[in-house]
């Protein structure tokens, strides 16, 4: 049939968008900023993505070509949980690295379309319209959007430089019946902070008392610059199976391959299998098998050391430049121990009424440098004086130039506002 355009007609499906679609419309400040940054061809601290020059392209291409030689990857409808060999590799590695307790094996690993899909499945499993989900503040925007699209009310738990404040959490859970707590304990997106072990223990104890589960989102786990992060919630909880742990190969191999996973406790195994079937009948086996072949052909420890060294160089450059150019202007930045993100905060004594969303646009338009305003990471207000800078994807040589541009943009913005 030809494409028929009838004068005056309105695309019929535009009028019947679901609540979930409407919730998403215009809500991701991040997408908007990234488009603006691209339009201006600005130096970008925007996208929280890994650096393409660190992708093992040739090795992965060879491994996937090799996997395509297996007859079974061409058939329909594989195991709901994905390639068993890769699941086994993940379970063994997580146990060897102390991330997972002894009960975790291949049967508990559900392969997903990146860590993002793990969060969609968690949402489908536990969120009804009106459910309360507890989140750190700030937190990862895409997860907020996933929870909200299902009708959740995301309740921020006050947090500081070490993550969730246990006393505040205790107060909230004693009065609010929440479905679960969502946390990114390591090298958090967007703040770069890591929750110390003692805090994790306290948080877990509070949740145990209140009978609430925890969703641990940990895609940056292996990117600690000075070694491993504190024990995971999954390992700390051990036999108390209230934790669902989600992770991904997006940061350690490449995000475009879209392979992540969730660790599903046995009592939830069937329900997650059923949710997987209803959300697309599985994910490409050839890619999963290719990743397995690649992992079997390398020393994963060496790969991790290589990435840590590369990202640490960028972090160091970033810290040096922020110290030299931003702190004299009253912009405080932290020093992350791993991951991709630096969090900037404008001290009110240097500038009142700072608006991170206005400033972020201004910085792109005036000085062609991109950041993400802090407001994008708060579920219900906050972040007006803050912004996120990702140094992972930016070329090392551009970091200095980018920070200098940001400092110039801030000075102009402040002069104009005074
Ligand atoms: C905290 C967090 N969770 C999940 C994801 C999703 O990663 P992916 O779906 O590529 O595995 C990201 C990506 O930036 C992230 O920062």
């Amino acid at each position: 049939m030809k494409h028929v355009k009838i004068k005056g007609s309105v695309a019929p499906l535009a009028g019947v968008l679901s609540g979930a679609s409407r919730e998403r419309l215009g809500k991701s400040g991040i997408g908007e900023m990234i488009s603006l940054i691209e339009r201006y061809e600005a130096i970008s601290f925007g996208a929280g993505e890994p650096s393409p020059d660190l992708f093992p392209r040739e090795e992965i291409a060879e491994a996937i070509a090799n996997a395509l030689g297996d007859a079974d990857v061409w058939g329909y409808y594989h195991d709901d949980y994905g390639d068993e060999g890769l699941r086994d590799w993940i379970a063994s590695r997580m146990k060897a690295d102390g991330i997972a307790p002894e009960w975790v094996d291949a049967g508990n690993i559900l392969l997903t379309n990146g860590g993002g899909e793990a969060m969609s499945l968690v949402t489908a499993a536990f969120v009804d319209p009106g459910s309360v989900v507890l989140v750190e503040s700030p937190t990862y925007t895409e997860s907020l959007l996933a929870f909200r699209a299902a009708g959740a009310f995301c309740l921020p738990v006050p947090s500081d430089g070490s993550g969730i404040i246990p006393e505040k959490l205790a107060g909230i859970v004693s009065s609010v019946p929440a479905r679960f707590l969502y946390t990114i304990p390591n090298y958090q997106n967007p703040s770069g902070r890591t929750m110390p072990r003692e805090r994790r223990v306290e948080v877990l104890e509070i949740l145990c008392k209140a009978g609430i589960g925890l969703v641990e989102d940990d895609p940056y786990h292996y990117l600690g610059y000075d070694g491993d992060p504190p024990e995971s919630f999954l390992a700390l909880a051990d036999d108390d199976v209230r934790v669902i742990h989600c992770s991904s190969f997006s940061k350690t191999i490449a995000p475009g391959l879209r392979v992540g996973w969730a660790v599903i406790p046995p009592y939830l195994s069937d329900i997650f299998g059923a949710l997987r079937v209803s959300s697309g009948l599985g994910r490409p086996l050839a890619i999963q098998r290719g990743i397995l072949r690649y992992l079997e052909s390398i020393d994963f420890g060496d790969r991790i050391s290589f990435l840590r060294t590369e990202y640490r160089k960028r972090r160091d450059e970033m810290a040096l430049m922020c110290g030299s150019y931003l702190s004299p202007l009253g912009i405080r930045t932290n020093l992350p121990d791993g991951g991709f993100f630096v969090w900037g905060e404008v001290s009110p004594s240097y500038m009142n009424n700072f608006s991170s969303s206005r400033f972020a646009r201004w910085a792109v338009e005036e000085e062609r440098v991109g950041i993400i305003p802090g407001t994008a990471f708060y579920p219900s207000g906050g972040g007006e004086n803050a912004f996120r800078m990702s140094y992972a994807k930016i070329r090392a040589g551009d970091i200095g130039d980018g920070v200098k541009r940001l400092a110039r943009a801030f000075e102009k913005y402040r002069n104009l506002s005074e």
Side-chain angles (χ1 to χ4, degrees):
M1 188 180 130
K2 273 191 181 166
H3 176 71
V4 184
K5 188 152 174 54
I6 301 168
K7 215 173 162 198
S9 75
V10 175
L13 293 175
V16 292
L17 286 177
S18 65
S21 308
R22 278 182 273 116
E23 181 59 40
R24 286 212 67 112
L25 280 177
K27 282 284 167 70
S28 169
I30 298 187
E32 224 174 281
M33 270 316 295
I34 303 285
S35 314
L36 191 72
I37 292 167
E38 282 170 3
R39 186 142 42 88
Y40 277 79
E41 295 179 9
I43 290 185
S44 178
F45 294 114
E49 293 170 11
S51 188
D53 60 320
L54 305 179
F55 298 157
R57 276 180 219 212
E58 281 168 27
E59 295 89 330
I60 289 283
E62 199 182 311
I64 292 176
N66 186 296
L68 284 167
D70 294 353
D72 64 328
V73 304
W74 297 87
Y76 278 123
Y77 312 138
H78 312 112
D79 188 319
D80 299 336
Y81 271 50
D83 183 68
E84 184 157 10
L86 182 58
R87 293 193 280 124
D88 193 35
W89 188 96
I90 292 169
S92 307
R93 183 82 212 187
M94 287 183 79
K95 280 194 280 193
D97 293 338
I99 307 170
E102 270 314 303
W103 60 262
V104 173
D105 65 22
N108 307 110
I109 307 292
L110 169 63
L111 297 180
T112 55
N113 194 37
E117 193 198 25
M119 222 46 69
S120 306
L121 292 171
V122 161
T123 306
F126 305 118
V127 178
D128 287 313
S131 303
V132 174
V133 172
L134 304 178
V135 299
E136 291 159 306
S137 55
T139 191
Y140 175 51
T141 317
E142 282 302 325
S143 294
L144 283 178
L145 291 173
F147 303 148
R148 278 180 171 165
F153 176 73
C154 294
L155 185 63
V157 183
S159 310
D160 61 17
S162 301
I164 289 166
I165 302 172
E167 299 74 37
K168 303 284 184 191
L169 177 65
I172 290 174
V173 298
S174 67
S175 55
V176 181
R179 293 286 167 110
F180 58 86
L181 169 71
Y182 169 72
T183 174
I184 306 157
N186 299 316
Y187 326 122
Q188 201 230 20
N189 182 1
S191 66
R193 70 193 174 201
T194 294
M195 200 187 296
R197 186 180 188 281
E198 313 79 69
R199 281 258 175 126
R200 297 179 194 216
V201 172
E202 281 182 80
V203 164
L204 212 46
E205 280 170 0
I206 292 165
L207 295 180
C208 281
K209 260 199 209 143
I212 294 176
L214 182 143
V215 175
E216 175 173 45
D217 191 6
D218 196 19
Y220 303 97
H221 186 96
Y222 283 110
L223 299 183
Y225 305 140
D226 307 308
D228 295 330
E231 231 172 321
S232 66
F233 276 105
L234 181 67
L236 285 169
D238 201 354
D239 286 346
D240 170 53
V241 282
R242 71 182 59 247
V243 176
I244 293 191
H245 177 104
C246 305
S247 193
S248 167
F249 288 117
S250 287
K251 319 297 173 186
T252 51
I253 300 182
L257 300 172
R258 310 303 304 132
V259 179
W261 67 93
V263 181
I264 306 295
Y267 69 101
L268 293 169
S269 184
D270 288 350
I271 185 62
F272 273 84
L275 290 169
R276 143 66 65 241
V277 171
S278 62
S279 68
L281 299 173
R283 291 293 172 256
L285 195 62
I287 303 283
Q288 297 172 1
R289 183 79 52 81
I291 287 195
L292 174 64
R293 295 269 153 84
Y294 164 71
L295 291 167
E296 284 171 342
S297 73
I298 62 161
D299 180 330
F300 190 64
D302 288 349
R303 165 101 192 131
I304 295 309
S305 310
F306 164 72
L307 292 175
R308 286 174 166 174
T309 307
E310 290 303 313
Y311 287 123
R312 190 194 295 114
K313 274 189 225 158
R314 293 172 209 212
R315 190 276 315 260
D316 289 348
E317 177 73 7
M318 191 75 192
L320 186 73
M321 297 313 289
C322 289
S324 306
Y325 292 91
L326 300 185
S327 55
L329 299 175
I331 301 176
R332 239 192 353 250
T333 51
N334 57 350
L335 185 72
D337 300 332
F340 293 173
F341 306 107
V342 163
W343 187 244
E345 277 177 334
V346 176
S347 157
S349 56
Y350 278 79
M351 186 178 173
N352 251 326
N353 304 323
F354 178 76
S355 158
S356 61
S357 32
R358 271 206 302 270
F359 173 63
R361 292 191 75 86
W362 166 270
V364 177
E365 288 163 4
E366 280 295 307
E367 287 289 342
R368 293 184 32 248
V369 60
I371 53 170
I372 304 294
T375 45
F377 306 101
Y378 284 81
S380 44
E384 271 303 343
N385 73 327
F387 53 87
R388 186 191 80 179
M389 291 184 284
S390 170
Y391 49 85
K393 202 177 171 188
I394 190 165
R395 282 180 313 185
D398 281 344
I399 289 180
D401 192 13
V403 174
K404 285 182 203 165
R405 288 184 192 202
L406 197 63
R408 276 201 304 269
F410 181 73
E411 279 187 297
K412 284 192 206 170
Y413 180 80
R414 195 175 55 178
N415 291 340
L416 208 80
S417 316
E418 273 170 2

